[in-house]
Amino acid sequence: MRLLPSQNLGVAMLSSVLNSDIAIEVNRTIMRVFVVTRNLLLNSPKTEIKTLQHEFKVLKEQIEEMFADQNDINEDTRMQMELINEAIAELQVKNKSKRSDEVGYLATLRRQKK
């Protein structure tokens, strides 16, 4: 729907002829409708939708990058945890060979004599 300038002028001319309170209020309302309609045509919602779609796409890409980074961190962390677990297992094996079934002061003395 395209508004012609003559429509705006026609409403303005009508308001100069009619002087009642109701006519003035109706004229103001009609002029507001013309302004809103003109702004709507100038700032088409399609443009806003495209802008929002672009922003959504950018945000989606950023989120995907963050998840990819998070997965990389998780993979690195998993590998580090495996290395730590292997080191702990090796230490446990070494300590088992050094352990004695005896405990206490006398067991310590016997181990020192060996």
Side-chain angles (χ1 to χ4, degrees), residues 57-75:
K57 182 180 177 183
V58 169
L59 287 173
K60 185 178 176 182
E61 290 171 357
Q62 289 175 350
I63 289 172
E64 287 173 353
E65 287 176 16
M66 287 183 354
F67 278 131
D69 292 343
Q70 182 68 28
N71 287 338
D72 291 344
I73 290 171
N74 286 341
E75 182 66 24

Side-chain angles (χ1 to χ4, degrees), residues 8 15 29 39:
N8 288 347
S15 66
T29 304
N39 288 338

Side-chain angles (χ1 to χ4, degrees), residues 2-100:
R2 183 167 178 157
L3 299 177
L4 301 174
S6 61
Q7 291 172 327
N8 288 347
L9 293 175
V11 173
M13 288 171 31
L14 181 63
S15 66
S16 65
V17 175
L18 302 174
N19 288 326
S20 71
D21 291 338
I22 294 174
I24 292 171
E25 188 61 35
V26 168
N27 180 40
R28 287 181 182 161
T29 304
I30 292 171
M31 293 303 284
R32 288 184 189 122
V33 168
F34 278 121
V35 170
V36 168
T37 305
R38 183 177 60 232
N39 288 338
L40 185 63
L41 290 174
L42 292 176
N43 303 321
S44 173
K46 291 180 182 178
T47 307
E48 292 176 15
I49 290 172
K50 288 186 179 194
T51 303
L52 289 174
Q53 286 174 337
H54 175 69
E55 289 176 5
F56 180 77
K57 182 180 177 183
V58 169
L59 287 173
K60 185 178 176 182
E61 290 171 357
Q62 289 175 350
I63 289 172
E64 287 173 353
E65 287 176 16
M66 287 183 354
F67 278 131
D69 292 343
Q70 182 68 28
N71 287 338
D72 291 344
I73 290 171
N74 286 341
E75 182 66 24
D76 292 341
T77 303
R78 186 186 61 77
M79 291 175 65
Q80 290 173 355
M81 291 298 292
E82 286 179 16
L83 291 173
I84 290 170
N85 286 336
E86 289 175 11
I88 291 172
E90 289 174 9
L91 289 173
Q92 288 175 340
V93 169
K94 288 180 184 177
N95 286 338
K96 281 184 181 178
S97 63
K98 293 181 181 179
R99 286 190 184 168
S100 170

